[in-house]
Amino acid sequence: MNSAWRIAREEWRYWLRSKTATAVGVAAILLIATSLVTNYLRIDAERDARQQLQAVAEETFRNQPARHPHRMVHYGHYVFRTPAPLAIADPGVDPYTGTVMFLEGHKQNTATFAPGYTQALTGPLATLSPALVYQLLVPLLLIVMGFASLAREREARTDQLVYTMSVSPTTLWLGKSAALAVLAMILSMPLAGITALAWLGGESVVISFVFWLGYALYLLCWVLMITAGSVWQRRASSALLVLLASWLLLGVLLPRVASSAAEASLPLQSNVRNNLEIAKALRDAGDGHNSADPAFNKLRAQLLAQYDVEKIEELPVNYRGIIAEAAEKKQTEIINRFARRRVDQELAQASAANRFNLLSPYLALKSFSITTANTNLEQHHQFLRDAETLRFSFVQQLNKLHATELAYVDDAKRSIDASSEQRARIDPQHWRMLDGFESERPGVTARLTTALPNLAILVLWILAAAFAGQRGAMRTAQQTNG
Amino acid sequence: MGSFVLEGRYALRERSVVLSLALTLLVACWAVIAGALETHKQHAEISWILEATQADKATVLAGQSDAGGAAYGMHHVTYEPPTPLAFAAIGTREDLPWQHWLTMLALEGQIYEADIGNPELSRVGRLDYAFLVSVLLPLVLILLLYDLDSRERRDGRYELLAATNASPRNPLLAKAGARTGLLFLSTSIPFAIVAVIENVAVLLWASVIVISALHLLFWLLVCRFVTHRTAEAPTAATALLACWLLFTIALPATARMLAEATVVIPAGGEILLEQREKVNDAWDLPKPVTMTSFIASHPEWEAQARVTQPFDWKWYFAFQQVGDEFIAPQSNALQAGIARRDRLMGWASLLSPPLATERWLTHLAGTNRSHHQRYMACVRKFHASLRHFHYPMLFGQQAFSPAVMAGLPSYKPCSDRLSGS
C-alpha cells in the first residue's frame, strides 16, 4: 500500500513540474469557479424575483375591491415556480420550463416565461452550469492529466525499473489511479462547497452529501477508465485517442442519440392539439356560464325536489352559483384527464431515454443529479399538479360564495341593470382565501430510492473499469517480461 | 489534386481513420434522417391542427347569436411551418413555441407560452446536422490529425518528407487535407441527399455545404498550426482540445454572460401581473374611462363609444385592447432586449467559428432567434387583424351574420424569403 502512495506522490511531483498540468489546473479552476458563481447568482436572483412576485400576486388578490365572485374566478391568480435549493448546482429543467402560471376558472393554462425564452442563444454546449462542468468538462481535463500516466512509463520503459524494486504491476496501476483520484477529489471540493450552500438554503444534509457523493463516484469512474485506457494502449498518443473517443461517445453523442430515439419512438402531442381535444370534450360537458344549458337539467330537477320549490328563483341558494360549482368540478375532471395524459407521455419519453443510462456513466449521473437535486421533470409535474390543486380550491371557494352570498334575481339581471350589478358584489374580506404557494418536494427517502439505480450503475462502471485496469496492468507486465 | 486522392487512399488503409469516418457517417445519417422525420411530424401536426381548428370554429360559431359571444368563444391557431431546411438545424423549434392557440382576449396574456416539448429531452438537445458540424466534427478532426507530424517524426521520416515535398514548410498539408476532405464527405453526402429529397433550394443547401466546409477548413488550419509546432502528439492533442474548449464553450459562454448582464430586460412575470391588473381594473372603473383610452387609439369608433349597460361586449373587448396597449412599452422592450442580446451574440460569433457556424445554419434554416421573433410579430399582426374584423360588428356598424363571419381572417404564416423551397 505504501509503495502505491509513493507512486501517487511521484505522479503529483511530475505534474507540478509540467506546463500542461499547470495549464489544465488553471483551466479547471476558471471553469469551475465561473460556472459556480454565475449559476449561483442567476438562480439566486431568479428565486428572489419569483418569490417576490408570488408575494405581490397574493397581496393584490387579497386587496381586490368588492366584486362579483365570478369576476374573481376570472381575475385569477398567479403562481411562480421557485427553483429547488440544489438548483445552484444543477438547474436541471429549470431553463426549459415556464416559471409563472395563470390560474383561473374553467381553464388550465400552461406555465409561461421559461428562462430560455429570453436568454442569449449560444449553441448547444455553452451553458456553463456546474452540472455541465462536472459532468463533461472535468472528465475531459482528467483525461488530459491522466492518459499518459501508465503509457508514458511503458514507452520510456521506466515501468521495468519500477518492477525491479519489487513493486507489482497492480501497485503501479493503483498508485497512478490514486494520484488521479486525489486530483479528482480536490476538483470536487468546490462542488462540496456549493452543496453545503444548498444545505444552508434548506436542502436536507443527507441529500446534499449524497449529491456530492454521486459526483465523486462519477469522477472516480472516469479516473479508473482513464488509467485502464492508459494501461491497455501501447502508446500514450493512442491512449489519448481511445479516451477522447470514449468521452465523445459516452458524454456527447449517446445522450443525444438517447433523447432523439425517445422523441422519435414516443412522439409528444403538441399543446395546441391537446387544447383542441380538451375544448371538444368540455363542450360536451356543458357550459357553466349558461344555467339554461341542458346538461344541467338533472341537477336542476334534483335541487327543486330537494328544497320542495317550483322555480329556481325560489331556491334558498343561488342556482347560478350551484351550476358554476358543478360545472367547474366536471370540467376539472376532464381537463385533468388530459393533463395526466400529457404528463404520462412526457414521463414515458424520459424513461425511454433513461433506458440508455446503463450504457454510459454520464447518463446515469445526469439522471441521478436532477432527481437528487429535485430539478427533474417529475418536480416540474409536481409544480403543475400543485398549481392545479390551488386553482381548483380557490375557484370552488369562489363558486360556493357565488351560491350562498348572492341572490339569484340580482345575479341574473346584473348585466343589464346597474343596481343589480351593485348588489351582485360581495365583500372583499372574502378574498383572504389564499395561503401562499409552495410546491411540494419529495422527501429524502423517496429521492434516495429513485437515485439508487443510477448510483448502482456508477458503481458497476467503477468495478468494470477497475477490473479492466488491473487486468491490463498484469497483462502488460507479463508481455514485457516475456 | 492527385496527391490528395493518393493521401485519401492511404488514410483509408488505417483502421482508426476508417472507424472514425464510418462512425461519423453513421451519426450524420442518423442526424439528417431524424431531423427530416421531425419536420414531417411537425407538418402533419400542423395539418391536423388546421383541420381541427376549422371544425372547432364552425361548432362554436353555430351556437352564437351575437358578435361578442362569437369573438369570445372562438379560438384561432397560429403556427410557423418548418422550412424545408429545418431538418438540418432544429434550433429554436426545439424549445421555443412555434404554434399558438389564441382568442380575441388580451394578447399579452396568451403569447408567452412555454412548455413546448419535453423539457428533460430539450435539455439534452438534438443531434441535428448543425450540432454535428459545429461541435462534433472539430473533435473528430482533432482525433484524426493530432499525431500526423509526431508520427512521422517518431518514424524518422519527417526530414525526408520536408525535403522532397512540394510544400516544404508544411509537408503534411496534403495528408491532413485529404483526411479533412474525407470527413467532410462523410457528413455532406448524407446531408445533400436528404436536402434534395426535402426539396431544399439548391442555393440554400449549397450554402450550408460551403459553411460546413469553411468551418472544417478553420479547424484544419488550427490543427496544422498546432501540430506543426509541437513535437509530441499528446501535447498537440492537449493544445487542440484547449482550442476546441475555448472556441466551442468558453467564448460563447462568456459572450452570453456579458450579453445577459449588459442588456437588462423586463421580467416576464411583471408584464403578466401588470397586464392583468389593467384588464381587470376596467370592471370597477367607470365605463367612459376605459372607452376614452380606447378612443385615443381608435378614433374611428368615437361616435359609437357610449356604453349604457353594466355589460357590453364592445366595452369588454375595448378594455382587452387597452390592457395590451398599456403594457406595450414593456412588451416591446422585452422583444427589443431579446433582439439586442441576439445581436451581441452575433458579434461574439466573429470570435467563435463554431458559434458562427451554428448561427449561420439556423439562420438559413429559419430556426434562429430573429426568425422566431418574426413569427411572434406575425402572431401579433394576426391578432390585430382579428380585432379589426370584429370591431365593426361589436360597435354596431355591421350586423352579425354567418355571411359576414365567413370572412373571418385565418392565420397565414408571414412570407419570408427563406421559407420557400
Side-chain angles (χ1 to χ4, degrees), chain A residues 68 71 289 320 408-422 424, chain B residues 283 287 307-313 315:
Chain A
H68 189 281
R71 280 292 338 117
H289 288 121
R320 284 168 160 249
Y408 177 79
V409 188
D410 290 332
D411 198 16
K413 283 205 303 194
R414 72 175 200 275
S415 292
I416 43 169
D417 176 50
S419 65
S420 296
E421 203 273 337
Q422 281 305 318
Chain B
W283 288 93
K287 306 273 184 302
V307 179
T308 47
Q309 289 184 334
F311 183 88
D312 190 325
W313 281 115
W315 160 76

PDB file of all heavy atoms in Angstrom, chain A residues 68 71 289 320 408-422 424, chain B residues 283 287 307-313 315:
ATOM      1  N   HIS A  68     -68.290  40.791  -7.914  1.00  0.00           N
ATOM      2  CA  HIS A  68     -68.999  39.542  -8.127  1.00  0.00           C
ATOM      3  C   HIS A  68     -67.964  38.413  -8.016  1.00  0.00           C
ATOM      4  O   HIS A  68     -66.870  38.518  -8.576  1.00  0.00           O
ATOM      5  CB  HIS A  68     -69.618  39.559  -9.524  1.00  0.00           C
ATOM      6  CG  HIS A  68     -70.546  38.412  -9.755  1.00  0.00           C
ATOM      7  ND1 HIS A  68     -70.085  37.157 -10.052  1.00  0.00           N
ATOM      8  CD2 HIS A  68     -71.901  38.331  -9.703  1.00  0.00           C
ATOM      9  CE1 HIS A  68     -71.129  36.346 -10.186  1.00  0.00           C
ATOM     10  NE2 HIS A  68     -72.239  37.042  -9.985  1.00  0.00           N
ATOM     11  N   ARG A  71     -66.240  37.242 -11.071  1.00  0.00           N
ATOM     12  CA  ARG A  71     -65.194  38.134 -11.581  1.00  0.00           C
ATOM     13  C   ARG A  71     -63.839  37.684 -11.040  1.00  0.00           C
ATOM     14  O   ARG A  71     -62.837  37.709 -11.723  1.00  0.00           O
ATOM     15  CB  ARG A  71     -65.446  39.578 -11.144  1.00  0.00           C
ATOM     16  CG  ARG A  71     -66.464  40.352 -11.922  1.00  0.00           C
ATOM     17  CD  ARG A  71     -66.055  40.661 -13.356  1.00  0.00           C
ATOM     18  NE  ARG A  71     -64.630  40.622 -13.581  1.00  0.00           N
ATOM     19  CZ  ARG A  71     -64.027  39.775 -14.400  1.00  0.00           C
ATOM     20  NH1 ARG A  71     -64.719  38.873 -15.063  1.00  0.00           N
ATOM     21  NH2 ARG A  71     -62.728  39.810 -14.557  1.00  0.00           N
ATOM     22  N   HIS A 289     -71.306  28.911 -17.599  1.00  0.00           N
ATOM     23  CA  HIS A 289     -71.785  30.293 -17.648  1.00  0.00           C
ATOM     24  C   HIS A 289     -73.263  30.336 -18.005  1.00  0.00           C
ATOM     25  O   HIS A 289     -73.927  31.336 -17.835  1.00  0.00           O
ATOM     26  CB  HIS A 289     -71.011  31.087 -18.716  1.00  0.00           C
ATOM     27  CG  HIS A 289     -69.610  31.383 -18.307  1.00  0.00           C
ATOM     28  ND1 HIS A 289     -68.523  30.971 -19.026  1.00  0.00           N
ATOM     29  CD2 HIS A 289     -69.109  32.042 -17.245  1.00  0.00           C
ATOM     30  CE1 HIS A 289     -67.421  31.374 -18.426  1.00  0.00           C
ATOM     31  NE2 HIS A 289     -67.753  32.020 -17.343  1.00  0.00           N
ATOM     32  N   ARG A 320     -77.301  29.839 -10.046  1.00  0.00           N
ATOM     33  CA  ARG A 320     -76.151  30.066 -10.922  1.00  0.00           C
ATOM     34  C   ARG A 320     -74.835  29.647 -10.268  1.00  0.00           C
ATOM     35  O   ARG A 320     -73.938  29.103 -10.919  1.00  0.00           O
ATOM     36  CB  ARG A 320     -76.071  31.542 -11.307  1.00  0.00           C
ATOM     37  CG  ARG A 320     -77.086  31.935 -12.340  1.00  0.00           C
ATOM     38  CD  ARG A 320     -77.152  33.444 -12.454  1.00  0.00           C
ATOM     39  NE  ARG A 320     -77.741  33.828 -13.719  1.00  0.00           N
ATOM     40  CZ  ARG A 320     -77.077  34.408 -14.706  1.00  0.00           C
ATOM     41  NH1 ARG A 320     -75.804  34.693 -14.566  1.00  0.00           N
ATOM     42  NH2 ARG A 320     -77.681  34.711 -15.818  1.00  0.00           N
ATOM     43  N   TYR A 408     -80.279  35.143  -6.494  1.00  0.00           N
ATOM     44  CA  TYR A 408     -80.377  34.720  -7.889  1.00  0.00           C
ATOM     45  C   TYR A 408     -80.888  35.853  -8.783  1.00  0.00           C
ATOM     46  O   TYR A 408     -80.388  36.075  -9.878  1.00  0.00           O
ATOM     47  CB  TYR A 408     -81.304  33.494  -7.993  1.00  0.00           C
ATOM     48  CG  TYR A 408     -81.524  33.041  -9.418  1.00  0.00           C
ATOM     49  CD1 TYR A 408     -80.551  32.284 -10.066  1.00  0.00           C
ATOM     50  CD2 TYR A 408     -82.678  33.398 -10.115  1.00  0.00           C
ATOM     51  CE1 TYR A 408     -80.726  31.878 -11.374  1.00  0.00           C
ATOM     52  CE2 TYR A 408     -82.854  32.996 -11.430  1.00  0.00           C
ATOM     53  CZ  TYR A 408     -81.886  32.231 -12.051  1.00  0.00           C
ATOM     54  OH  TYR A 408     -82.053  31.849 -13.343  1.00  0.00           O
ATOM     55  N   VAL A 409     -81.875  36.605  -8.292  1.00  0.00           N
ATOM     56  CA  VAL A 409     -82.515  37.638  -9.107  1.00  0.00           C
ATOM     57  C   VAL A 409     -81.508  38.719  -9.511  1.00  0.00           C
ATOM     58  O   VAL A 409     -81.409  39.104 -10.683  1.00  0.00           O
ATOM     59  CB  VAL A 409     -83.700  38.268  -8.342  1.00  0.00           C
ATOM     60  CG1 VAL A 409     -84.485  39.192  -9.255  1.00  0.00           C
ATOM     61  CG2 VAL A 409     -84.587  37.179  -7.768  1.00  0.00           C
ATOM     62  N   ASP A 410     -80.721  39.176  -8.532  1.00  0.00           N
ATOM     63  CA  ASP A 410     -79.721  40.206  -8.832  1.00  0.00           C
ATOM     64  C   ASP A 410     -78.674  39.646  -9.794  1.00  0.00           C
ATOM     65  O   ASP A 410     -78.237  40.307 -10.733  1.00  0.00           O
ATOM     66  CB  ASP A 410     -79.003  40.637  -7.552  1.00  0.00           C
ATOM     67  CG  ASP A 410     -79.934  41.426  -6.642  1.00  0.00           C
ATOM     68  OD1 ASP A 410     -80.857  42.071  -7.186  1.00  0.00           O
ATOM     69  OD2 ASP A 410     -79.745  41.368  -5.415  1.00  0.00           O
ATOM     70  N   ASP A 411     -78.272  38.427  -9.492  1.00  0.00           N
ATOM     71  CA  ASP A 411     -77.230  37.793 -10.279  1.00  0.00           C
ATOM     72  C   ASP A 411     -77.649  37.706 -11.746  1.00  0.00           C
ATOM     73  O   ASP A 411     -76.869  38.007 -12.648  1.00  0.00           O
ATOM     74  CB  ASP A 411     -76.973  36.394  -9.703  1.00  0.00           C
ATOM     75  CG  ASP A 411     -75.650  35.834 -10.160  1.00  0.00           C
ATOM     76  OD1 ASP A 411     -74.817  36.622 -10.647  1.00  0.00           O
ATOM     77  OD2 ASP A 411     -75.452  34.613 -10.045  1.00  0.00           O
ATOM     78  N   ALA A 412     -78.922  37.319 -11.968  1.00  0.00           N
ATOM     79  CA  ALA A 412     -79.392  37.121 -13.330  1.00  0.00           C
ATOM     80  C   ALA A 412     -79.499  38.446 -14.085  1.00  0.00           C
ATOM     81  O   ALA A 412     -79.341  38.490 -15.301  1.00  0.00           O
ATOM     82  CB  ALA A 412     -80.741  36.410 -13.313  1.00  0.00           C
ATOM     83  N   LYS A 413     -79.777  39.536 -13.362  1.00  0.00           N
ATOM     84  CA  LYS A 413     -80.012  40.815 -14.050  1.00  0.00           C
ATOM     85  C   LYS A 413     -78.784  41.715 -14.072  1.00  0.00           C
ATOM     86  O   LYS A 413     -78.851  42.846 -14.550  1.00  0.00           O
ATOM     87  CB  LYS A 413     -81.176  41.551 -13.355  1.00  0.00           C
ATOM     88  CG  LYS A 413     -82.544  40.977 -13.725  1.00  0.00           C
ATOM     89  CD  LYS A 413     -83.654  42.001 -13.562  1.00  0.00           C
ATOM     90  CE  LYS A 413     -83.734  42.563 -12.156  1.00  0.00           C
ATOM     91  NZ  LYS A 413     -84.960  43.301 -11.878  1.00  0.00           N
ATOM     92  N   ARG A 414     -77.640  41.235 -13.553  1.00  0.00           N
ATOM     93  CA  ARG A 414     -76.525  42.154 -13.305  1.00  0.00           C
ATOM     94  C   ARG A 414     -75.935  42.746 -14.579  1.00  0.00           C
ATOM     95  O   ARG A 414     -75.310  43.808 -14.534  1.00  0.00           O
ATOM     96  CB  ARG A 414     -75.445  41.483 -12.471  1.00  0.00           C
ATOM     97  CG  ARG A 414     -74.634  40.421 -13.206  1.00  0.00           C
ATOM     98  CD  ARG A 414     -73.513  39.910 -12.326  1.00  0.00           C
ATOM     99  NE  ARG A 414     -72.473  39.273 -13.127  1.00  0.00           N
ATOM    100  CZ  ARG A 414     -72.519  37.999 -13.509  1.00  0.00           C
ATOM    101  NH1 ARG A 414     -73.530  37.223 -13.153  1.00  0.00           N
ATOM    102  NH2 ARG A 414     -71.546  37.501 -14.241  1.00  0.00           N
ATOM    103  N   SER A 415     -76.129  42.076 -15.717  1.00  0.00           N
ATOM    104  CA  SER A 415     -75.530  42.604 -16.939  1.00  0.00           C
ATOM    105  C   SER A 415     -76.359  43.704 -17.583  1.00  0.00           C
ATOM    106  O   SER A 415     -75.897  44.418 -18.459  1.00  0.00           O
ATOM    107  CB  SER A 415     -75.341  41.479 -17.960  1.00  0.00           C
ATOM    108  OG  SER A 415     -74.369  40.603 -17.496  1.00  0.00           O
ATOM    109  N   ILE A 416     -77.631  43.816 -17.139  1.00  0.00           N
ATOM    110  CA  ILE A 416     -78.468  44.822 -17.778  1.00  0.00           C
ATOM    111  C   ILE A 416     -78.961  45.884 -16.792  1.00  0.00           C
ATOM    112  O   ILE A 416     -79.399  46.956 -17.189  1.00  0.00           O
ATOM    113  CB  ILE A 416     -79.687  44.165 -18.480  1.00  0.00           C
ATOM    114  CG1 ILE A 416     -80.297  43.086 -17.576  1.00  0.00           C
ATOM    115  CG2 ILE A 416     -79.288  43.555 -19.828  1.00  0.00           C
ATOM    116  CD1 ILE A 416     -81.631  42.570 -18.060  1.00  0.00           C
ATOM    117  N   ASP A 417     -78.856  45.626 -15.496  1.00  0.00           N
ATOM    118  CA  ASP A 417     -79.394  46.566 -14.525  1.00  0.00           C
ATOM    119  C   ASP A 417     -78.275  47.002 -13.566  1.00  0.00           C
ATOM    120  O   ASP A 417     -77.675  46.178 -12.883  1.00  0.00           O
ATOM    121  CB  ASP A 417     -80.539  45.896 -13.757  1.00  0.00           C
ATOM    122  CG  ASP A 417     -81.069  46.800 -12.656  1.00  0.00           C
ATOM    123  OD1 ASP A 417     -81.355  47.970 -12.966  1.00  0.00           O
ATOM    124  OD2 ASP A 417     -81.146  46.340 -11.502  1.00  0.00           O
ATOM    125  N   ALA A 418     -78.025  48.322 -13.510  1.00  0.00           N
ATOM    126  CA  ALA A 418     -76.883  48.816 -12.747  1.00  0.00           C
ATOM    127  C   ALA A 418     -77.042  48.576 -11.244  1.00  0.00           C
ATOM    128  O   ALA A 418     -76.061  48.290 -10.561  1.00  0.00           O
ATOM    129  CB  ALA A 418     -76.680  50.297 -13.028  1.00  0.00           C
ATOM    130  N   SER A 419     -78.262  48.678 -10.697  1.00  0.00           N
ATOM    131  CA  SER A 419     -78.394  48.489  -9.258  1.00  0.00           C
ATOM    132  C   SER A 419     -78.252  47.015  -8.889  1.00  0.00           C
ATOM    133  O   SER A 419     -77.678  46.679  -7.845  1.00  0.00           O
ATOM    134  CB  SER A 419     -79.732  49.057  -8.761  1.00  0.00           C
ATOM    135  OG  SER A 419     -80.789  48.313  -9.337  1.00  0.00           O
ATOM    136  N   SER A 420     -78.725  46.101  -9.753  1.00  0.00           N
ATOM    137  CA  SER A 420     -78.486  44.667  -9.525  1.00  0.00           C
ATOM    138  C   SER A 420     -76.990  44.390  -9.569  1.00  0.00           C
ATOM    139  O   SER A 420     -76.474  43.598  -8.780  1.00  0.00           O
ATOM    140  CB  SER A 420     -79.160  43.815 -10.599  1.00  0.00           C
ATOM    141  OG  SER A 420     -80.550  43.957 -10.537  1.00  0.00           O
ATOM    142  N   GLU A 421     -76.340  45.054 -10.497  1.00  0.00           N
ATOM    143  CA  GLU A 421     -74.889  44.835 -10.648  1.00  0.00           C
ATOM    144  C   GLU A 421     -74.195  45.204  -9.331  1.00  0.00           C
ATOM    145  O   GLU A 421     -73.284  44.500  -8.894  1.00  0.00           O
ATOM    146  CB  GLU A 421     -74.363  45.687 -11.812  1.00  0.00           C
ATOM    147  CG  GLU A 421     -73.067  45.181 -12.433  1.00  0.00           C
ATOM    148  CD  GLU A 421     -71.830  45.703 -11.735  1.00  0.00           C
ATOM    149  OE1 GLU A 421     -71.904  46.766 -11.073  1.00  0.00           O
ATOM    150  OE2 GLU A 421     -70.793  45.046 -11.820  1.00  0.00           O
ATOM    151  N   GLN A 422     -74.622  46.317  -8.711  1.00  0.00           N
ATOM    152  CA  GLN A 422     -74.021  46.723  -7.439  1.00  0.00           C
ATOM    153  C   GLN A 422     -74.317  45.704  -6.338  1.00  0.00           C
ATOM    154  O   GLN A 422     -73.442  45.365  -5.541  1.00  0.00           O
ATOM    155  CB  GLN A 422     -74.538  48.114  -7.018  1.00  0.00           C
ATOM    156  CG  GLN A 422     -73.856  49.267  -7.754  1.00  0.00           C
ATOM    157  CD  GLN A 422     -72.333  49.230  -7.612  1.00  0.00           C
ATOM    158  OE1 GLN A 422     -71.796  48.973  -6.530  1.00  0.00           O
ATOM    159  NE2 GLN A 422     -71.627  49.458  -8.720  1.00  0.00           N
ATOM    160  N   ALA A 424     -74.850  42.600  -6.756  1.00  0.00           N
ATOM    161  CA  ALA A 424     -74.206  41.311  -7.062  1.00  0.00           C
ATOM    162  C   ALA A 424     -72.703  41.340  -6.803  1.00  0.00           C
ATOM    163  O   ALA A 424     -71.934  40.668  -7.471  1.00  0.00           O
ATOM    164  CB  ALA A 424     -74.492  40.912  -8.512  1.00  0.00           C
TER     165      ALA A 424
ATOM    166  N   TRP B 283     -63.250  46.525 -14.879  1.00  0.00           N
ATOM    167  CA  TRP B 283     -64.569  46.119 -14.367  1.00  0.00           C
ATOM    168  C   TRP B 283     -65.075  47.094 -13.306  1.00  0.00           C
ATOM    169  O   TRP B 283     -66.270  47.236 -13.107  1.00  0.00           O
ATOM    170  CB  TRP B 283     -64.513  44.718 -13.770  1.00  0.00           C
ATOM    171  CG  TRP B 283     -64.384  43.642 -14.793  1.00  0.00           C
ATOM    172  CD1 TRP B 283     -63.228  43.098 -15.247  1.00  0.00           C
ATOM    173  CD2 TRP B 283     -65.442  42.981 -15.491  1.00  0.00           C
ATOM    174  NE1 TRP B 283     -63.488  42.131 -16.194  1.00  0.00           N
ATOM    175  CE2 TRP B 283     -64.860  42.037 -16.357  1.00  0.00           C
ATOM    176  CE3 TRP B 283     -66.833  43.099 -15.472  1.00  0.00           C
ATOM    177  CZ2 TRP B 283     -65.594  41.218 -17.190  1.00  0.00           C
ATOM    178  CZ3 TRP B 283     -67.584  42.272 -16.298  1.00  0.00           C
ATOM    179  CH2 TRP B 283     -66.960  41.344 -17.161  1.00  0.00           C
ATOM    180  N   LYS B 287     -67.228  53.268 -17.018  1.00  0.00           N
ATOM    181  CA  LYS B 287     -67.057  52.855 -18.414  1.00  0.00           C
ATOM    182  C   LYS B 287     -66.384  53.920 -19.292  1.00  0.00           C
ATOM    183  O   LYS B 287     -65.523  53.580 -20.110  1.00  0.00           O
ATOM    184  CB  LYS B 287     -68.403  52.463 -19.026  1.00  0.00           C
ATOM    185  CG  LYS B 287     -69.174  51.403 -18.232  1.00  0.00           C
ATOM    186  CD  LYS B 287     -68.773  50.026 -18.635  1.00  0.00           C
ATOM    187  CE  LYS B 287     -69.557  48.915 -17.957  1.00  0.00           C
ATOM    188  NZ  LYS B 287     -69.540  48.851 -16.501  1.00  0.00           N
ATOM    189  N   VAL B 307     -71.383  53.560 -23.611  1.00  0.00           N
ATOM    190  CA  VAL B 307     -71.828  52.273 -23.072  1.00  0.00           C
ATOM    191  C   VAL B 307     -72.937  52.550 -22.068  1.00  0.00           C
ATOM    192  O   VAL B 307     -72.760  53.340 -21.139  1.00  0.00           O
ATOM    193  CB  VAL B 307     -70.661  51.534 -22.377  1.00  0.00           C
ATOM    194  CG1 VAL B 307     -71.139  50.214 -21.791  1.00  0.00           C
ATOM    195  CG2 VAL B 307     -69.538  51.313 -23.361  1.00  0.00           C
ATOM    196  N   THR B 308     -74.077  51.904 -22.254  1.00  0.00           N
ATOM    197  CA  THR B 308     -75.217  52.215 -21.391  1.00  0.00           C
ATOM    198  C   THR B 308     -75.520  51.099 -20.404  1.00  0.00           C
ATOM    199  O   THR B 308     -76.145  51.323 -19.384  1.00  0.00           O
ATOM    200  CB  THR B 308     -76.471  52.476 -22.244  1.00  0.00           C
ATOM    201  OG1 THR B 308     -76.560  51.416 -23.211  1.00  0.00           O
ATOM    202  CG2 THR B 308     -76.387  53.811 -22.949  1.00  0.00           C
ATOM    203  N   GLN B 309     -75.077  49.895 -20.671  1.00  0.00           N
ATOM    204  CA  GLN B 309     -75.402  48.767 -19.794  1.00  0.00           C
ATOM    205  C   GLN B 309     -74.195  48.388 -18.936  1.00  0.00           C
ATOM    206  O   GLN B 309     -73.055  48.681 -19.298  1.00  0.00           O
ATOM    207  CB  GLN B 309     -75.781  47.560 -20.652  1.00  0.00           C
ATOM    208  CG  GLN B 309     -77.114  47.745 -21.329  1.00  0.00           C
ATOM    209  CD  GLN B 309     -77.504  46.503 -22.094  1.00  0.00           C
ATOM    210  OE1 GLN B 309     -76.647  45.743 -22.515  1.00  0.00           O
ATOM    211  NE2 GLN B 309     -78.810  46.317 -22.254  1.00  0.00           N
ATOM    212  N   PRO B 310     -74.450  47.720 -17.797  1.00  0.00           N
ATOM    213  CA  PRO B 310     -73.308  47.270 -16.985  1.00  0.00           C
ATOM    214  C   PRO B 310     -72.365  46.344 -17.763  1.00  0.00           C
ATOM    215  O   PRO B 310     -71.179  46.307 -17.495  1.00  0.00           O
ATOM    216  CB  PRO B 310     -73.956  46.505 -15.835  1.00  0.00           C
ATOM    217  CG  PRO B 310     -75.343  47.022 -15.759  1.00  0.00           C
ATOM    218  CD  PRO B 310     -75.730  47.416 -17.151  1.00  0.00           C
ATOM    219  N   PHE B 311     -72.933  45.595 -18.697  1.00  0.00           N
ATOM    220  CA  PHE B 311     -72.056  44.766 -19.521  1.00  0.00           C
ATOM    221  C   PHE B 311     -72.371  44.973 -20.990  1.00  0.00           C
ATOM    222  O   PHE B 311     -73.518  44.914 -21.406  1.00  0.00           O
ATOM    223  CB  PHE B 311     -72.204  43.276 -19.188  1.00  0.00           C
ATOM    224  CG  PHE B 311     -71.255  42.435 -19.982  1.00  0.00           C
ATOM    225  CD1 PHE B 311     -69.976  42.191 -19.517  1.00  0.00           C
ATOM    226  CD2 PHE B 311     -71.614  41.929 -21.229  1.00  0.00           C
ATOM    227  CE1 PHE B 311     -69.077  41.450 -20.269  1.00  0.00           C
ATOM    228  CE2 PHE B 311     -70.716  41.194 -21.991  1.00  0.00           C
ATOM    229  CZ  PHE B 311     -69.444  40.946 -21.507  1.00  0.00           C
ATOM    230  N   ASP B 312     -71.329  45.237 -21.739  1.00  0.00           N
ATOM    231  CA  ASP B 312     -71.496  45.399 -23.179  1.00  0.00           C
ATOM    232  C   ASP B 312     -70.240  44.834 -23.833  1.00  0.00           C
ATOM    233  O   ASP B 312     -69.125  45.123 -23.388  1.00  0.00           O
ATOM    234  CB  ASP B 312     -71.648  46.893 -23.504  1.00  0.00           C
ATOM    235  CG  ASP B 312     -72.062  47.106 -24.951  1.00  0.00           C
ATOM    236  OD1 ASP B 312     -71.608  46.317 -25.812  1.00  0.00           O
ATOM    237  OD2 ASP B 312     -72.819  48.048 -25.213  1.00  0.00           O
ATOM    238  N   TRP B 313     -70.432  44.011 -24.861  1.00  0.00           N
ATOM    239  CA  TRP B 313     -69.269  43.355 -25.470  1.00  0.00           C
ATOM    240  C   TRP B 313     -68.229  44.351 -25.989  1.00  0.00           C
ATOM    241  O   TRP B 313     -67.028  44.124 -25.902  1.00  0.00           O
ATOM    242  CB  TRP B 313     -69.688  42.435 -26.622  1.00  0.00           C
ATOM    243  CG  TRP B 313     -70.237  41.105 -26.178  1.00  0.00           C
ATOM    244  CD1 TRP B 313     -71.505  40.657 -26.354  1.00  0.00           C
ATOM    245  CD2 TRP B 313     -69.536  40.054 -25.497  1.00  0.00           C
ATOM    246  NE1 TRP B 313     -71.655  39.397 -25.827  1.00  0.00           N
ATOM    247  CE2 TRP B 313     -70.451  38.994 -25.292  1.00  0.00           C
ATOM    248  CE3 TRP B 313     -68.233  39.900 -25.025  1.00  0.00           C
ATOM    249  CZ2 TRP B 313     -70.121  37.807 -24.662  1.00  0.00           C
ATOM    250  CZ3 TRP B 313     -67.889  38.710 -24.391  1.00  0.00           C
ATOM    251  CH2 TRP B 313     -68.825  37.685 -24.210  1.00  0.00           C
ATOM    252  N   TRP B 315     -67.431  47.197 -24.870  1.00  0.00           N
ATOM    253  CA  TRP B 315     -66.622  47.681 -23.747  1.00  0.00           C
ATOM    254  C   TRP B 315     -65.663  46.575 -23.284  1.00  0.00           C
ATOM    255  O   TRP B 315     -64.491  46.815 -23.010  1.00  0.00           O
ATOM    256  CB  TRP B 315     -67.563  48.108 -22.623  1.00  0.00           C
ATOM    257  CG  TRP B 315     -66.945  48.177 -21.263  1.00  0.00           C
ATOM    258  CD1 TRP B 315     -66.115  49.149 -20.800  1.00  0.00           C
ATOM    259  CD2 TRP B 315     -67.122  47.238 -20.204  1.00  0.00           C
ATOM    260  NE1 TRP B 315     -65.752  48.875 -19.512  1.00  0.00           N
ATOM    261  CE2 TRP B 315     -66.361  47.698 -19.112  1.00  0.00           C
ATOM    262  CE3 TRP B 315     -67.864  46.062 -20.048  1.00  0.00           C
ATOM    263  CZ2 TRP B 315     -66.306  47.024 -17.904  1.00  0.00           C
ATOM    264  CZ3 TRP B 315     -67.809  45.391 -18.840  1.00  0.00           C
ATOM    265  CH2 TRP B 315     -67.035  45.870 -17.785  1.00  0.00           C
TER     266      TRP B 315
END
